[in-house]
């Protein structure tokens, strides 16, 4: 079952989000987890979240937000995070979450949802190749 993140999900969500950070080899700590958690619970914050639940267990998460698109003068959606617990993979949970993101996108009147993934994220890319179009844009980062 797909649903919005709720206040009672904190410990299970933390476990999933730590798994996501580990997958991307991104250092994570309680301060980061508490910050992101507070964003997800704040109705006025731009970052929103949905989860997939099976028998009372959170098995996957997706974090998304509106993103301005100045050349079009409107907002699009941006998918920040998508993660399925390895125990629950191969059950189309990622695809179900992406379908829900599409429903949310329509309700928000976003004409597209954009995201990035690592080049070697082969499993996720096999899904993304089925449900979306790969762009010809390159991603750059300027560090401080």
């Amino acid at each position: 079952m797909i649903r919005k993140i709720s206040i009672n999900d904190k410990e299970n969500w933390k476990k999933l989000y730590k798994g996501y950070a580990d997958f991307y080899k991104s250092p994570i700590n309680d301060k980061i987890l508490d910050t992101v958690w507070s964003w997800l619970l704040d109705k006025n914050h731009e970052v929103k979240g949905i989860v997939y639940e099976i028998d009372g267990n959170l098995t996957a998460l997706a974090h998304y937000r509106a993103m301005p698109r100045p050349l079009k003068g409107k907002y699009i959606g941006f998918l920040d995070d998508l993660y399925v617990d390895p125990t629950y993979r191969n059950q189309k949970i990622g695809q179900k979450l992406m379908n829900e993101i599409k429903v949310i996108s329509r309700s928000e009147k976003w004409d597209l949802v954009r995201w990035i993934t690592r080049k070697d994220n082969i499993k996720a890319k096999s899904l993304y190749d089925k449900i979306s179009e790969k762009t010809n844009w390159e991603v750059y980062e300027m560090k401080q």
Side-chain angles (χ1 to χ4, degrees):
M1 164 178 83
I2 297 174
R3 61 173 175 78
K4 291 181 181 179
I5 289 177
S6 76
I7 195 163
N8 297 328
D9 293 328
K10 186 174 185 179
E11 292 309 311
N12 290 320
W13 170 87
K14 281 172 84 171
K15 181 182 166 197
L16 282 174
Y17 206 55
K18 283 179 182 179
Y20 178 77
D22 288 347
F23 175 80
Y24 279 109
K25 296 175 179 57
S26 181
I28 197 143
N29 58 43
D30 286 337
K31 183 178 180 187
I32 294 168
L33 290 166
D34 289 342
T35 297
V36 176
W37 181 251
S38 72
W39 292 348
L40 292 166
L41 293 185
D42 181 350
K43 292 180 182 177
N44 296 316
H45 197 277
E46 61 267 24
V47 176
K48 308 294 180 204
I50 55 176
V51 292
Y52 197 90
E53 181 182 335
I54 298 175
D55 298 328
N57 297 314
L58 294 191
T59 61
L61 59 78
H63 301 151
Y64 63 93
R65 60 189 156 95
M67 183 175 102
R69 190 171 185 199
L71 279 175
K72 299 291 184 178
K74 58 181 169 180
Y75 285 90
I76 62 172
F78 191 85
L79 178 68
D80 286 293
D81 310 313
L82 177 68
Y83 181 73
V84 178
D85 182 313
T87 306
Y88 294 92
R89 293 193 181 152
N90 299 314
Q91 297 181 41
K92 300 192 182 284
I93 294 171
Q95 184 166 353
K96 290 173 185 176
L97 285 170
M98 292 303 290
N99 289 343
E100 183 66 15
I101 294 292
K102 192 170 192 171
V103 168
I104 292 166
S105 174
R106 281 192 207 113
S107 73
E108 295 291 333
K109 302 201 179 350
W110 301 332
D111 61 356
L112 65 90
V113 176
R114 188 173 278 163
W115 64 91
I116 60 174
T117 194
R118 207 169 56 197
K119 285 183 180 181
D120 64 349
N121 192 356
I122 304 303
K123 183 81 171 161
K125 286 173 62 174
S126 70
L127 167 62
Y128 300 156
D129 289 343
K130 291 176 192 167
I131 64 169
S132 61
E133 295 178 25
K134 189 171 190 297
T135 70
N136 61 356
W137 293 97
E138 300 276 343
V139 176
Y140 292 85
E141 294 181 339
M142 184 168 46
K143 303 217 186 238
Q144 298 298 325

